[in-house]
Amino acid sequence: MIVITTPIAGQRPGTSGLRKSVQVFRQPGYLENFVQSLFDVLEHHKGATLVVGGDGRYFNDQAIQTVLRLAAANGFGRVLVGQGGILSTPAASAVIRSRKAYGGIILSASHNPGGPEGDFGIKYNAGNGGPAPEALTEAVYRRTQSIERYLGVESPDVDLGTLGNTLVGGMAVEVIDPVATHADLMETLFDFGAIRRLLGSGSFRMRFDAMHAVTGPYAHEVFVKRLGAPAASVVNGTPLPDFGGGHPDPNPTYAAELVAAMFAADAPDFGAASDGDGDRNMIVGRRFIVTPSDSLAVLAANAQLVPGYAAGLKGVARSMPTSAAVDAVAAALGIPCFETPTGWKFFGNLLDAGRITLCGEESAGTGSDHVREKDGLWAVLFWLNVLAVRGESVEAIVRDHWRRFGRHVYSRHDYEGVDAAAATALMARLREALPGLPGQKFSPGTVTLADDFAYTDQVDGSVTTGQGLRIGFDNGSRIVFRLSGTGTEGATLRVYLERFEADVQRHGTDAQQALAGLIATAEQLAGIAATTGRTQPTVIT
Ligand code: G16
């Protein structure tokens, strides 16, 4: 037992676990405080199996050794750890489920930059393979504020580079292949034969950008080894502790290299990228970027073409700020569509209860009931399967989708690293103004809904409030204001803009142009420039 002599103030985890700068995480006792608090709160874990792995970022290897020593002292029977300390978030979810583990610890700050000056993070996934539910996260947070000791064993570092078994204290440690379980699962869902024929046809080229993050080894195994794509189809495929100095967030700003390649004269037919821990995805056709909201809708509409989903979808779900494109598909299919708060954890109960099969978020996450996380590689394979069956381009498939269902023109404007007090004040002012908005006319239409989104879980009845300010107009347009829960510096204000076009011929592809009225109204309502000093968003997706 080790007594914490310098107590570390408890930290409230954000949308997806605890994320802080590496410097904060390296303070003596900081990581231990969180891990011990988690173990103190968990019940019946003596002798149980824990899965541990991360996205390979700086400090990943050291943090894993710490987790192993604490897990041993806290009575876990076995830890399965990915070779090299690597496990993508969806792969960790797959391993937890297939090995029937008690739960798992994933070391990642997702899409945030890495390296000694970058960010680090830790999150706990439960036995269903999904993010810890709110109640558990809150309990851990409360425990971090009163904890005064952590338990550890004296033991040399485990060799994470070699597959096999060893002991830490009396606890078994098994270094596992980080890729195999997930890759095998993918083979059960998708038509690998059809995708192999597409990739080997000589007339179809793909480019997958792993952004020097965790998906490199997964992409090599699946696209190159199992599906026969040329090795050059995977770029930036070696995980690096600082992600090569990049920002592994697959959006048009941070995946600019991919976008440039896909808009070049000799562009491949299909482009995709994933993020730091492999759960997000970006889909790009030749000179055509697919928004995450549209991607979810297209996958739902084409699910019958994919073996794993050919029997039909039980239902779908999207986070509140995600566009209603998938709602239109659900209505046409006659299946339920759920609207949840931002954060994958809110899909967990619906998936566990068999109420939904597919779900997704505007923040570049799409997934299904195959694991309990969003899954970047899965989304790419889903698209490849659809492309292989339909034999059309990405753009043709999306345009056909818009013709059938109408187009939910969509964009998100992020104001990153703004002064936290200013951002909070902006939201507070807007929240106060909400009751007076219904009935007021703005250029996009008359306000019909203005509220602070609250959600009642359809399965366990738990209520979550304060999930984003939404302002809806009579013509289906919508503006949502929300503060990010994943940033580590200042605050990030997100403004989500959506407008429905039944007649897709009326507008070209330029979303910013089509949304100009809503963008101006958002500024008019929130006074973003005056409050934050920012006249332009940092990132537009
Ligand atoms: C995490 C969650 C996602 C969520 C996103 C929102 O993503 O896992 O479910 O949509 O955060 O981020 P924010 O609060 O910044 O808008 P990730 O990929 O960072 O784990």
Side-chain angles (χ1 to χ4, degrees):
M1 175 177 115
I2 299 170
V3 174
I4 303 177
T5 46
T6 327
I8 307 281
Q11 300 284 347
R12 186 185 290 275
T15 315
S16 185
L18 182 63
R19 284 183 198 167
K20 298 285 166 195
S21 69
V22 165
Q23 282 161 16
V24 168
F25 261 101
R26 290 178 87 175
Q27 296 172 84
Y30 188 89
L31 176 67
E32 290 86 344
N33 180 357
F34 181 86
V35 176
Q36 184 62 54
S37 298
L38 169 68
F39 291 162
D40 283 349
V41 164
L42 297 179
E43 288 170 348
H44 314 300
H45 60 279
K46 302 278 184 250
T49 298
L50 186 71
V51 174
V52 178
D55 62 12
R57 67 178 60 224
Y58 184 81
F59 195 55
N60 188 48
D61 41 4
Q62 281 180 53
I64 288 179
Q65 304 291 351
T66 300
V67 170
L68 291 177
R69 292 190 183 99
L70 266 74
N74 279 276
F76 278 93
R78 175 177 292 266
V79 170
L80 310 175
V81 52
Q83 187 178 23
I86 293 285
L87 270 180
S88 77
T89 289
S93 185
V95 173
I96 292 169
R97 292 169 69 80
S98 75
R99 296 286 300 261
K100 301 196 171 23
Y102 180 90
I105 289 181
I106 303 171
L107 301 151
S108 170
S110 187
H111 53 285
N112 295 18
E117 308 302 323
D119 288 337
F120 194 73
I122 183 165
K123 53 187 176 178
Y124 175 71
N125 279 30
N128 71 345
E134 291 261 274
L136 178 63
T137 308
E138 276 299 313
V140 175
Y141 168 59
R142 278 196 303 277
R143 180 66 188 141
T144 62
Q145 293 174 306
S146 59
I147 186 170
E148 56 209 9
R149 58 93 184 90
Y150 63 86
L151 312 178
V153 297
E154 294 285 336
S155 181
D157 281 359
V158 169
D159 172 13
L160 298 175
T162 310
L163 295 176
N165 296 291
T166 179
L167 287 174
V168 169
M171 181 185 77
V173 174
E174 187 180 338
V175 179
I176 61 167
D177 180 332
V179 173
T181 301
H182 185 263
D184 292 348
L185 179 58
M186 295 299 104
E187 287 215 46
T188 68
L189 298 172
F190 300 107
D191 186 345
F192 269 43
I195 301 173
R196 200 177 295 115
R197 283 192 292 282
L198 176 73
L199 294 174
S201 65
S203 60
F204 183 94
R205 284 183 301 132
M206 74 173 279
R207 179 185 175 104
F208 178 81
D209 193 333
M211 303 187 85
H212 285 306
V214 80
T215 46
Y218 296 85
H220 278 295
E221 173 68 23
V222 171
F223 301 132
V224 180
K225 266 179 74 181
R226 300 197 187 192
L227 289 167
S233 311
V234 177
V235 300
N236 299 321
T238 307
L240 298 174
D242 67 347
F243 306 124
H247 192 144
D249 193 359
N251 64 44
T253 301
Y254 296 126
E257 191 185 328
L258 173 69
V259 173
M262 295 306 296
F263 278 71
D266 62 343
D269 302 272
F270 177 71
S274 193
D275 71 328
D277 61 332
D279 54 5
R280 296 185 175 203
N281 75 87
M282 178 182 183
I283 302 296
V284 195
R286 188 181 283 155
R287 284 178 221 103
F288 191 87
I289 296 173
V290 185
T291 69
S293 295
D294 275 347
S295 181
L296 172 64
V298 169
L299 299 190
N302 288 278
Q304 80 283 356
L305 305 178
V306 173
Y309 307 95
L313 306 177
K314 292 173 192 149
V316 292
R318 62 165 172 86
S319 66
M320 180 274 283
T322 304
S323 95
V326 75
D327 304 36
V329 177
L333 294 173
I335 57 172
C337 178
F338 299 90
E339 183 179 39
T340 59
T342 295
W344 207 261
K345 57 181 171 248
F346 294 104
F347 295 134
N349 279 348
L350 293 169
L351 289 163
D352 284 349
R355 308 271 291 269
I356 59 170
T357 310
L358 291 195
C359 46
E361 299 183 279
E362 53 65 40
S363 56
T366 344
S368 85
D369 55 3
H370 69 289
V371 287
R372 293 295 180 271
E373 286 282 1
K374 52 191 185 277
D375 190 338
L377 256 278
W378 171 91
V380 176
L381 286 165
F382 205 131
W383 266 95
L384 284 171
N385 198 146
V386 171
L387 290 167
V389 175
R390 289 187 54 163
E392 297 164 75
S393 71
V394 171
E395 178 170 355
I397 288 173
V398 176
R399 288 197 182 280
D400 174 59
H401 186 93
W402 291 343
R403 269 190 297 275
R404 285 176 62 200
F405 298 99
R407 180 180 175 197
H408 294 259
V409 186
Y410 189 84
S411 182
R412 186 177 99 187
H413 288 196
D414 295 338
Y415 297 82
E416 294 182 332
V418 300
D419 178 66
T424 310
L426 181 150
M427 291 293 282
R429 224 177 326 104
L430 206 50
R431 196 175 287 111
E432 268 171 37
L434 290 178
L437 290 180
Q440 280 199 41
K441 281 194 178 54
F442 292 89
S443 74
T446 303
V447 175
T448 49
L449 167 93
D451 71 356
D452 191 348
F453 182 61
Y455 175 68
T456 303
D457 189 289
Q458 304 287 307
V459 181
D460 67 16
S462 59
V463 176
T464 309
T465 56
Q467 294 299 306
L469 310 181
R470 48 178 191 173
I471 298 159
F473 300 87
D474 53 357
N475 53 8
S477 292
R478 197 173 65 139
I479 306 173
V480 174
F481 296 89
R482 185 180 156 269
L483 295 183
S484 158
T486 60
T488 54
E489 231 170 80
T492 294
L493 171 68
R494 303 205 193 284
V495 183
Y496 309 82
L497 306 140
E498 174 176 0
R499 162 182 179 157
F500 180 64
E501 289 290 346
D503 177 3
V504 290
Q505 311 301 346
R506 272 185 58 201
H507 284 287
T509 329
D510 191 323
Q512 301 309 311
Q513 223 174 354
L515 296 170
L518 277 169
I519 295 168
T521 304
E523 172 60 35
Q524 190 186 340
L525 286 167
I528 301 167
T531 320
T532 67
R534 303 287 181 82
T535 52
Q536 288 298 322
T538 334
V539 176
I540 295 181
T541 47

